[in-house]
Amino acid sequence: MSAVESFINYKAKTGMQCGNYSIDLPKLKPGEQYRFHFDATKCIGCHCCEVACNEQNNNPFDVKWRRVGEVEGGVFPNVSQIFFSMSCNHCIDPWCLKGCPTQSYIKLDNGIVIHDDEACIGCQYCTWNCPYDVPVFHEERHIVTKCHMCFERIENNQTTACVQACPEGAIEIEVVNKEEWLNGKIDEEGNAPGLIDARVTNSTTRFTLPENMPKTLEPADRDLIKPAHKELPLVFMTVLTQVSFIGFLALLLGDIASKITSLPEPNFAMAFTVFALSAIGLPLSALHLGRPVKALSAMKNLKSSWLSKEALFLGIFTALMGVVTLFYYFEEEGFLRVVLEIVTAITGTYGIYAQSMIYKIPAKPTWNRKSTTYRFFSTGYIGTLILAAIATLTKDFSVVNILLSLSILLGSIQMYLFYESQRFYDTIKKEDPFYYQISRAKKLLEKDFKKLYGFRKNSLPIGAIFLPLTAVIALNAGSSSFAFLSIALAVLISFGSELAGRLLFYSSAVKTGMPGNFFAGNQR
């Protein structure tokens, strides 16, 4: 018997899937699905699975649906080096699916999660949402793509590309009963060093790990820190819509106050300005998309996607503000305008809340905090500064004092949240499950973005507190010109500060994913 024949016979007798063109899987019973099994005791880190996956799916080198990571630990000479190969975990509760605004993810009856390329608009929200960093943006196609477990091959009893290519048989396809998995061994066999807790998405991948592993294993690329994508369209869009919202709230309060006090009514210039900020900012989000012409389809998944809710409610908010602005232009006063403003404010409140919830995801620990929502709302202190500048020009000085007081209050909250985030970075402990991501984010802020971070730290108190206080003093001292100059300067500095802060928010967000993944492709 030749060596090849001996090898084939051995595989047939042992039931090994690697090297075989066909696969013999049992028929699925109710409550069962397919999953990957990865045996870390067999993987030698050859990356054959990556290459085979890319060849099978005609992906460029920087788009990897399967990736090999590396962790290491121990004390010399008793050191350990462990490789991990991972693609999509075909989770029971996939965050990519429930977060996608265009419903581009589908979980088949066999449990495999596939991606509908035609429906995708390239928003890349799923690349943030997935705590395993599985979906990857395809620059040439302008959409997100991901592993689909070669489901067409499985349906034809053919072996998946990665399983077939692995020379050690470290990857296999197997059947799992979902209820038994969740009530049984998911905590023991669903987790691996450096990966997020499997219960976050109820991942189905089963890991076989070496015995007597070191207690502490670190990613082999722990010293390689790469900033996240800048997301410039979103930097401007989020700041402008938040400023517009708080500006509109001030407009509403002013309109109500004018009905019950001697304060003058807000004017058309104020209404138009806060409307224009959102009308300019909201469409900028389309520039973030791979397929901007399909932007309107982002509202398809209102049931579970915060991005869909943000798009709808902020769109309605902006449209209603346009109507309110027309009321001011035609000097239509009275009860109807106030009611419309209240409805607009409620819509905007939910829109900004939904906007903040987009970022409260387990995969991005520096985003996934209550303070994110507070920061998004308090950013709007600039809106009251802008209205104060307009009121100064119209010589409504009593209104200016009120608006500056509101601005200083919101600015103080924003300052508190900034220093609270500094304490968050400084007090993180190694025992924290997200220490790796948060400590790397801190290094980005203090090294890669040192100058920008310094500008943010120094400009925030000047624009949010010092200059508005100076304007209050100047106004009450009878110098309206100096007050206007102080307010205008506060607006410019505060805008610069908030844009810098939002740029840092995106660029320093280190997400969870495959540990030690030196050869990561186009992950955002």
Side-chain angles (χ1 to χ4, degrees):
M1 183 181 295
S2 68
V4 174
E5 290 173 327
S6 175
F7 178 70
I8 293 174
N9 288 338
Y10 171 77
K11 284 186 174 293
K13 290 178 182 178
T14 58
M16 290 178 67
Q17 296 177 4
C18 69
N20 285 329
Y21 289 100
S22 61
I23 191 169
D24 185 18
L25 293 172
K27 290 186 178 181
L28 293 176
K29 299 175 184 176
E32 292 183 338
Q33 73 163 73
Y34 295 125
R35 72 170 175 193
F36 283 114
H37 167 227
F38 173 73
D39 190 341
T41 65
K42 295 180 179 179
C43 182
I44 59 175
C46 66
H47 296 264
C48 284
C49 52
E50 286 186 358
V51 175
C53 178
N54 272 30
E55 288 184 348
Q56 170 67 33
N57 296 288
N58 195 31
N59 286 332
F61 75 95
D62 60 344
V63 175
K64 295 193 186 322
W65 293 358
R66 177 167 284 278
R67 289 156 287 134
V68 174
E70 179 181 344
V71 295
E72 56 191 18
V75 179
F76 183 82
N78 300 313
V79 295
S80 294
Q81 181 186 41
I82 302 172
F83 295 101
F84 290 105
S85 175
M86 189 180 72
S87 58
C88 180
N89 294 307
H90 301 283
C91 307
I92 295 171
D93 184 28
W95 274 61
C96 59
L97 185 150
K98 68 182 183 182
C100 177
T102 59
Q103 298 178 326
S104 296
Y105 286 90
I106 303 165
K107 190 168 178 65
L108 302 177
D109 292 339
N110 58 15
I112 298 174
V113 179
I114 65 171
H115 182 263
D116 182 356
D117 293 354
E118 290 302 314
C120 181
I121 59 175
C123 70
Q124 299 146 73
Y125 185 26
C126 56
T127 67
W128 296 349
N129 256 20
C130 175
Y132 298 103
D133 216 17
V134 167
V136 55
F137 186 66
H138 197 302
E139 295 280 0
E140 295 176 9
R141 300 178 61 192
H142 308 291
I143 60 170
V144 170
T145 60
K146 68 173 285 292
C147 156
H148 45 58
M149 203 187 276
C150 296
F151 73 97
E152 307 99 327
R153 293 169 66 92
I154 288 179
E155 289 177 350
N156 291 298
N157 298 318
Q158 295 177 1
T159 316
T160 62
C162 56
V163 170
Q164 183 178 316
C166 180
E168 295 294 314
I171 311 171
E172 294 179 323
I173 307 293
E174 57 185 29
V175 172
V176 59
N177 182 290
K178 291 180 282 188
E179 186 176 349
E180 291 178 1
W181 175 246
L182 294 178
N183 295 329
K185 296 185 176 181
I186 183 174
D187 298 310
E188 179 184 343
E189 298 182 346
N191 292 309
L195 295 180
I196 198 170
D197 191 330
R199 286 198 180 272
V200 171
T201 60
N202 291 324
S203 165
T204 62
T205 298
R206 181 169 72 92
F207 293 96
T208 297
L209 303 175
E211 296 181 359
N212 303 318
M213 290 191 305
K215 290 183 179 179
T216 302
L217 286 166
E218 294 185 314
D221 62 350
R222 58 188 172 276
D223 296 322
L224 299 176
I225 306 177
K226 179 184 176 183
H229 200 276
K230 293 182 177 68
E231 312 295 0
L232 287 176
L234 299 184
V235 168
F236 284 92
M237 185 276 285
T238 54
V239 170
L240 288 174
T241 52
Q242 290 155 21
V243 170
S244 173
F245 169 70
I246 294 298
F248 184 80
L249 277 188
L251 189 82
L252 166 62
L253 293 175
D255 200 10
I256 294 174
S258 69
K259 301 290 190 294
I260 56 178
T261 67
S262 59
L263 288 172
E265 288 187 341
N267 54 50
F268 168 73
M270 292 178 173
F272 179 78
T273 301
V274 294
F275 161 70
L277 288 169
S278 186
I280 293 170
L282 195 58
L284 290 176
S285 61
L287 299 178
H288 165 74
L289 305 179
R291 293 173 168 175
V293 293
K294 289 190 170 186
L296 290 179
S297 63
M299 292 180 269
K300 286 173 63 176
N301 189 11
L302 291 171
K303 182 178 180 181
S304 64
S305 174
W306 285 109
L307 185 56
S308 289
K309 295 172 184 177
E310 178 213 31
L312 177 64
F313 281 87
L314 286 186
I316 295 174
F317 168 68
T318 304
L320 290 176
M321 273 201 300
V323 177
V324 170
T325 302
L326 290 176
F327 270 66
Y328 277 97
Y329 180 77
F330 291 108
E331 299 181 352
E332 293 290 336
E333 304 173 5
F335 179 74
L336 182 59
R337 187 175 76 184
V338 173
V339 170
L340 181 60
E341 287 172 338
I342 292 173
V343 172
T344 305
I346 293 172
T347 306
T349 301
Y350 189 77
I352 299 298
Y353 174 73
Q355 187 178 77
S356 73
M357 290 302 292
I358 291 172
Y359 302 93
K360 296 176 74 171
I361 49 179
K364 298 258 190 177
T366 57
W367 291 356
N368 192 29
R369 308 179 64 228
K370 289 182 180 179
S371 60
T372 296
T373 299
Y374 304 146
R375 287 167 66 184
F376 274 33
F377 277 99
S378 59
T379 297
Y381 71 90
I382 303 172
T384 55
L385 283 175
I386 293 172
L387 294 185
I390 296 173
T392 304
L393 292 175
T394 57
K395 301 188 183 304
D396 296 324
F397 299 133
S398 57
V399 173
V400 176
N401 273 317
I402 294 172
L403 289 169
L404 288 175
S405 299
L406 288 173
S407 176
I408 293 170
L409 175 62
L410 288 171
S412 299
I413 295 173
Q414 188 74 331
M415 274 192 61
Y416 168 79
L417 293 171
F418 174 78
Y419 290 113
E420 185 273 338
S421 70
Q422 281 195 315
R423 289 196 300 273
F424 169 71
Y425 287 116
D426 291 339
T427 58
I428 188 69
K429 296 184 186 270
K430 286 192 174 182
E431 295 75 26
D432 192 290
F434 298 109
Y435 173 80
Y436 175 70
Q437 288 78 22
I438 296 170
S439 61
R440 285 164 72 93
K442 182 183 178 182
K443 288 180 181 178
L444 284 172
L445 289 172
E446 295 178 348
K447 293 183 179 180
D448 294 58
F449 301 111
K450 182 178 180 179
K451 291 183 179 179
L452 189 63
Y453 192 50
F455 169 75
R456 169 63 171 163
K457 185 176 182 179
N458 295 318
S459 61
L460 180 57
I462 294 173
I465 306 296
F466 177 73
L467 286 172
L469 279 174
T470 302
V472 171
I473 295 171
L475 193 67
N476 288 279
S479 179
S480 59
S481 298
F482 189 74
F484 175 78
L485 182 62
S486 298
I487 297 170
L489 194 57
V491 170
L492 292 175
I493 292 176
S494 296
F495 252 123
S497 181
E498 293 306 322
L499 290 173
R502 197 55 50 82
L503 182 62
L504 292 170
F505 175 80
Y506 288 108
S507 300
S508 65
V510 179
K511 78 186 299 288
T512 59
M514 167 64 73
N517 183 21
F518 289 96
F519 305 103
N522 244 348
Q523 269 68 15
R524 299 275 286 197

